[in-house]
Amino acid sequence: MATALEGLRILELGSGAAAGMAGMVLAENGAEVVKVESPDGDRDRGRPGFAVWHRAKKSAVLDLADAGDRDRFLDLARAADGVIEAFRPTVAERLGVDYEALHQLNDQLVYASITGFGETGPWRDLPGYEQIVAAKSGRMTTYDGVRPGPVFTPVPIASYGAGMLAAVGLMAGIWARTGTGQGQRVHTSLLHALSVYDMTSGHGNRTHLPPEPGRVYGVMRVPFMTAPTKDGRFIQMCSRQAHHYRRWLAELGLEALLDDPELPNAPDLWPSEERLSEAINAIRRGMEQRTAEEWMEVFSAKDIGGDPFLAPQEFLDHPQCTENERRQEVFDQAMGPTVQIGPLGLYSETPSLVGPPAPRLGEHTEEVLSSWLSATSPSGPAIQAGRAGELPLADVTILDVGYFYACPFAATLLAEAGARVIKVEPPFGDPGRRNWTTDYVKSHVGKESIVLDLKTPEGLDILYRLVDQADVFLHNFRPGTPERLGIDADTVMSRNSRLLYVYASCFGSNGPWAHKAGFHSSPNAIAGAGVVESGHQNPPRNRTYGDPTAALATAAAIMAGVLACRRTGRGQTLETTMLAATAYAVAEWGIQHSGPEAPMVDSGQFGYHAYQRLYETADGWLVLDIHSSRERRSLATILGEELPDEPTPELAAQLAEILATDSAESWEARLLVAGVPAAQADRGDFMHNMLYEDHMQECGAAVEFHQDNLGTYWRAGPTMQFSAAPAPLDPALPLGWATAAILEELGFDSQEIDRLHDIGVTKPIGHGLPS
């Protein structure tokens, strides 16, 4: 069977995990991705992650500063379908390989540009490195660490997110090109990607509201607690749903908390901080009465949400990885035999192919120059009326039947690219609405909400009519539930044979935990992020980005799937897992091999080593994120010190003594001017900075928005910008707001619409929490 993107030719420019992972998604789905490198090679060569991020690609050495090599690159661009570019702003223009230059040569080219901080605003020209973005955004101050102050954030979630968004945007541009015959430019950044991980900021989220008498929000501290067990291990609890919470407390012998008349809204809302602390202490004492293994046996038997912490390499041997075909053996040319995370998605008709291994520097230069220069440029149909000036997915319809964040937010990202998303909700709404006190729900932005009770024949019939007109059907119910509801793949696809049917699961369809309840903290524990983030020999931590990583992965996988369906004219099924998505993010630590391991954060959570580390200054904290010898020489010059190429503990102590002599703000200014990647790491917290920092607003990562009944407020902006049309700024509206309009569209008259409401098929009830 063919792969989804077979025949597409993609050029990849720039270093870093973001561009690498964007190209990786395209390459493992069949595109010919050529990594264009300077004669010195990518700075990441030698890192374990390179073997994963660049597998299935080709390497061509071209010095773009050389006129002859640049001309050869321009010849390649004439035959390319897409470009992934990850230079700092203005570098591509200076080299003559920016979108405008290439568009003149090939107007069907889709050009995906990745920056660190966006294309406008005071931080635009800062080094787009992961730790610099983490520091400036306030992410380092978000989590409690083992000591006061900000903590080093090892997992490159911003780079991962930007890579997935670039892949989504590029594939969306390819989709649109089949209708318009024209390419376009799409831009995203590491900073814009971080807004995906900010699940709670915005008008009315309970976790973002200050505690008040009689109303303290306790979800993260109770059903998502990281609980110690009798044997000194930890379990990440994930018992958010009411029935999971009740079963857990009953097993702990704490039924009194369930029946207490003063706790009617627990575990969401508590009457005071004191009552919440009492409950937490009682639950922790109960969890310490059994070992982690004993608890997991109980949880599996009684359907209680809780997961053990594994290291990333351990996950590759776990049945939930192996039995869901996510373990891949690759013989790397530099590292020898390796085991890596497998494909992002499982497609029934166009399966992904992982391999061959990451290429040697310049291994394919002559081959690519020969084969591409003899190839014809991309071709497409004549422009269709009504398509010019539209967002790329304007003719795509998605039925979002999923719950919470990972699954629904994948559809939100595609709505940003223009897709019509119809959010199908039960009368009580998506349970994710329980996190909010208003109609605004971040994962529902830009969607049309229709209430359907799928347990009624009438509700199911309406859903089937919507299926007939859809391109994508998206859900995240556990195995068995779709069959009981009549929305399983066989049933749904029997009505629409061109449909992409997507199961955005947590654990996958197979394996011993396929039927377990999965929440956003599950993959952080199981896929290894909690261990990587914690620091050497520290207890594991819940970093809570499982949902966003999964949403990004699912959006990218859907784009490859819909392109395949259009290409073949046939529908297919697609399965993604939250576990595999998080394993992609921690792939550098997850690869099994016999060579040097990826660096781990030290026990103080300062960083990897002297050149990538947090330092306490005279008045705060500064992070260094130095990757190259040029940057090291610049640091030595500004400090007036001889500095070794290899970092040592002694060097870290030396730098700590020097940096303690001045303020973080002063050091940042002096070092950046000298070309040393550095940033103040404790200037504001993530929740505040992502909405209210001047740069976020100037670069569009945060936007001011007015919504009826809510007034004017700041919220996250679009994560992708397309040159063909502005990204939409759509509201997130009440449960069922579009029900009547959608029913009218399907041919129902007003009397029938009223009847369906009156008998409860389409009548909103709501989540029941006080606002």
Side-chain angles (χ1 to χ4, degrees):
M1 290 184 283
T3 52
L5 307 180
E6 186 173 317
L8 292 181
R9 295 185 290 268
I10 310 295
L11 296 168
E12 181 185 314
L13 297 172
S15 296
M21 283 192 263
M24 172 188 181
V25 172
L26 301 173
E28 72 178 23
N29 283 295
E32 184 180 3
V33 179
V34 176
K35 179 172 178 57
V36 178
E37 301 183 71
S38 71
D40 293 333
D42 189 309
R43 68 168 187 262
D44 289 333
R45 283 189 173 272
R47 290 177 59 176
F50 189 92
V52 184
W53 304 329
H54 298 291
R55 64 194 188 193
K57 300 179 186 177
K58 296 178 179 179
S59 171
V61 168
L62 293 172
D63 183 355
L64 298 180
D66 175 82
D69 273 3
R70 182 170 57 254
D71 286 344
R72 281 183 276 275
F73 175 82
L74 296 179
D75 286 337
L76 296 178
R78 288 186 176 91
D81 294 277
V83 169
I84 299 166
E85 173 262 308
F87 295 136
R88 286 197 205 182
T90 75
V91 171
E93 290 91 332
R94 188 173 72 246
L95 293 173
V97 296
D98 58 299
Y99 170 70
E100 294 300 330
L102 301 189
H103 181 72
Q104 297 300 316
L105 303 174
N106 177 358
D107 63 2
Q108 296 180 51
L109 185 75
V110 181
Y111 190 106
S113 182
I114 304 170
T115 62
F117 288 90
E119 298 185 297
T120 56
W123 297 347
R124 185 192 77 154
D125 296 318
L126 293 181
Y129 294 162
E130 183 75 25
Q131 300 306 326
I132 304 300
V133 174
K136 299 296 284 187
S137 68
R139 183 171 172 249
M140 289 182 169
T141 68
T142 301
Y143 305 108
D144 292 333
V146 298
R147 54 165 176 76
V151 299
F152 196 83
T153 52
V155 179
I157 63 169
S159 298
Y160 166 92
M164 293 297 159
L165 291 170
V168 169
L170 193 151
M171 287 187 283
I174 296 291
W175 170 278
R177 190 184 70 185
T178 62
T180 66
Q182 292 290 305
Q184 61 181 294
R185 182 177 187 267
V186 58
H187 165 262
T188 191
S189 77
L190 274 67
L191 193 65
H192 283 83
L194 278 184
S195 72
V196 177
Y197 297 90
D198 177 16
M199 298 188 291
T200 60
S201 73
H203 193 83
N205 188 274
R206 297 182 190 278
T207 64
H208 199 42
L209 300 176
E212 59 182 75
R215 190 174 301 172
V216 178
Y217 198 61
V219 168
M220 292 309 301
R221 295 168 63 187
V222 180
F224 285 115
M225 73 162 53
T226 301
T229 61
K230 184 177 181 179
D231 54 348
R233 296 174 61 192
F234 290 81
I235 287 179
Q236 180 56 54
M237 295 308 304
C238 299
S239 288
R240 173 71 170 91
Q241 289 281 61
H243 57 287
H244 298 137
Y245 178 67
R246 294 189 68 86
R247 292 169 189 159
W248 180 35
L249 263 61
E251 191 62 32
L252 289 167
L254 296 175
E255 292 92 339
L257 289 176
L258 298 170
D259 301 326
D260 191 328
E262 295 184 0
L263 305 176
N265 297 310
D268 295 83
L269 301 176
W270 298 75
S272 67
E273 182 65 38
E274 290 73 21
R275 290 303 308 274
L276 174 57
S277 295
E278 290 174 6
I280 290 171
N281 291 334
I283 292 171
R284 289 175 69 89
R285 287 194 298 271
M287 289 295 294
E288 289 173 344
Q289 301 308 304
R290 299 180 187 177
T291 67
E293 185 174 348
E294 289 170 343
W295 276 122
M296 288 309 303
E297 290 177 0
V298 171
F299 292 166
S300 296
K302 299 190 176 182
D303 190 23
I304 299 171
D307 303 293
F309 283 91
L310 304 177
Q313 291 186 359
E314 290 181 294
F315 170 65
L316 296 181
D317 294 325
H318 194 278
Q320 288 310 128
C321 182
T322 59
E323 294 186 28
N324 285 287
E325 302 176 53
R326 289 320 200 281
R327 172 190 168 99
Q328 187 70 39
E329 296 181 4
V330 177
F331 188 90
D332 185 78
Q333 299 177 89
M335 303 169 68
T338 72
V339 177
Q340 307 178 12
I341 185 62
L344 201 63
L346 298 183
Y347 302 89
S348 62
E349 301 300 320
T350 58
S352 304
L353 295 174
V354 176
R360 295 188 299 271
L361 178 62
E363 179 180 352
H364 305 96
T365 305
E366 296 305 321
E367 173 194 334
V368 170
L369 289 174
S370 174
S371 63
W372 281 44
L373 297 186
S374 62
T376 58
S377 62
S379 60
I383 296 176
Q384 298 176 2
R387 289 304 312 275
E390 291 183 336
L391 283 163
L393 301 184
D395 59 344
V396 175
T397 298
I398 299 171
L399 291 186
D400 169 12
V401 192
Y403 283 176
F404 291 108
Y405 196 88
C407 174
F409 202 77
T412 303
L413 294 171
L414 299 176
E416 284 188 14
R420 181 189 187 188
V421 180
I422 298 175
K423 174 73 175 174
V424 180
E425 302 189 64
F428 54 80
D430 181 333
R433 288 183 179 270
R434 291 177 64 88
N435 293 334
W436 301 80
T437 63
T438 70
D439 292 331
Y440 175 83
V441 178
K442 186 176 178 183
S443 61
H444 294 1
V445 169
K447 300 180 182 180
E448 302 169 44
S449 172
I450 178 174
V451 166
L452 292 177
D453 185 349
L454 299 183
K455 296 179 181 178
T456 66
E458 295 93 339
L460 193 57
D461 177 67
I462 295 168
L463 180 69
Y464 287 158
R465 297 198 201 186
L466 292 172
V467 165
D468 294 342
Q469 303 174 17
D471 299 286
V472 180
F473 186 95
L474 174 64
H475 80 87
N476 60 347
F477 298 122
R478 287 187 272 176
T481 300
E483 288 76 10
R484 289 193 297 273
L485 291 175
I487 58 171
D488 56 283
D490 288 343
T491 300
V492 169
M493 295 184 71
S494 69
R495 299 189 61 96
N496 183 344
S497 61
R498 59 179 177 79
L499 189 74
L500 179 68
Y501 181 97
V502 185
Y503 174 31
S505 71
C506 180
F507 294 101
S509 294
N510 301 307
W513 292 349
H515 288 79
K516 262 175 56 69
F519 290 91
H520 74 122
S521 294
S522 298
N524 283 306
I526 298 167
V531 171
V532 173
E533 293 278 9
S534 64
H536 181 62
Q537 293 185 338
N538 289 328
R541 296 182 176 272
N542 179 17
R543 285 296 192 242
T544 64
Y545 43 70
D547 271 353
T549 55
L552 289 156
T554 298
I558 287 173
M559 277 312 310
V562 295
L563 281 170
C565 290
R566 169 171 281 186
R567 173 187 174 188
T568 65
R570 301 190 307 274
Q572 63 176 319
T573 63
L574 162 64
E575 180 173 301
T576 62
T577 74
M578 294 175 69
L579 298 183
T582 301
Y584 263 64
V586 297
E588 182 151 37
W589 296 270
I591 182 171
Q592 296 179 1
H593 63 103
S594 59
E597 298 293 339
M600 292 294 291
V601 174
D602 60 40
S603 59
Q605 295 181 307
F606 294 104
Y608 297 138
H609 51 68
Y611 290 125
Q612 290 180 286
R613 187 185 190 276
L614 282 159
Y615 291 94
E616 192 166 13
T617 67
D619 68 346
W621 292 84
L622 182 86
V623 69
L624 298 181
D625 196 11
I626 294 172
H627 294 261
S628 70
S629 58
R630 176 183 56 80
E631 293 164 348
R632 290 194 294 272
R633 289 193 298 270
S634 297
L635 178 63
T637 299
I638 198 72
L639 297 182
E641 300 279 347
E642 290 286 337
L643 300 179
D645 290 339
E646 293 300 321
T648 63
E650 292 75 22
L651 175 61
Q654 177 188 355
L655 293 178
E657 184 176 347
I658 295 171
L659 295 172
T661 62
D662 205 346
S663 69
E665 183 178 10
S666 176
W667 278 121
E668 178 186 299
R670 292 162 60 191
L671 293 171
L672 287 175
V673 167
V676 180
Q680 187 175 354
D682 57 354
R683 185 175 178 271
D685 66 80
F686 185 70
M687 298 291 288
H688 179 273
N689 286 2
M690 289 303 295
L691 291 182
Y692 305 115
E693 173 63 51
D694 288 346
H695 177 81
M696 309 300 177
Q697 298 176 2
E698 289 190 40
C699 77
V703 294
E704 192 173 30
F705 189 76
H706 182 84
Q707 189 165 334
D708 291 343
N709 303 321
L710 299 182
T712 301
Y713 58 96
W714 287 91
R715 74 177 210 198
T719 60
M720 298 169 282
Q721 297 85 43
F722 295 92
S723 62
L729 293 177
D730 293 323
L733 293 174
L735 173 64
W737 72 271
T739 300
I742 293 173
L743 292 177
E744 288 179 3
E745 188 179 325
L746 293 176
F748 290 85
D749 61 28
S750 59
Q751 287 184 321
E752 182 63 6
I753 292 172
D754 290 342
R755 187 187 76 83
L756 290 168
H757 180 276
D758 292 341
I759 64 175
V761 174
T762 60
K763 182 178 181 179
I765 297 174
H767 57 55
L769 283 179
S771 60

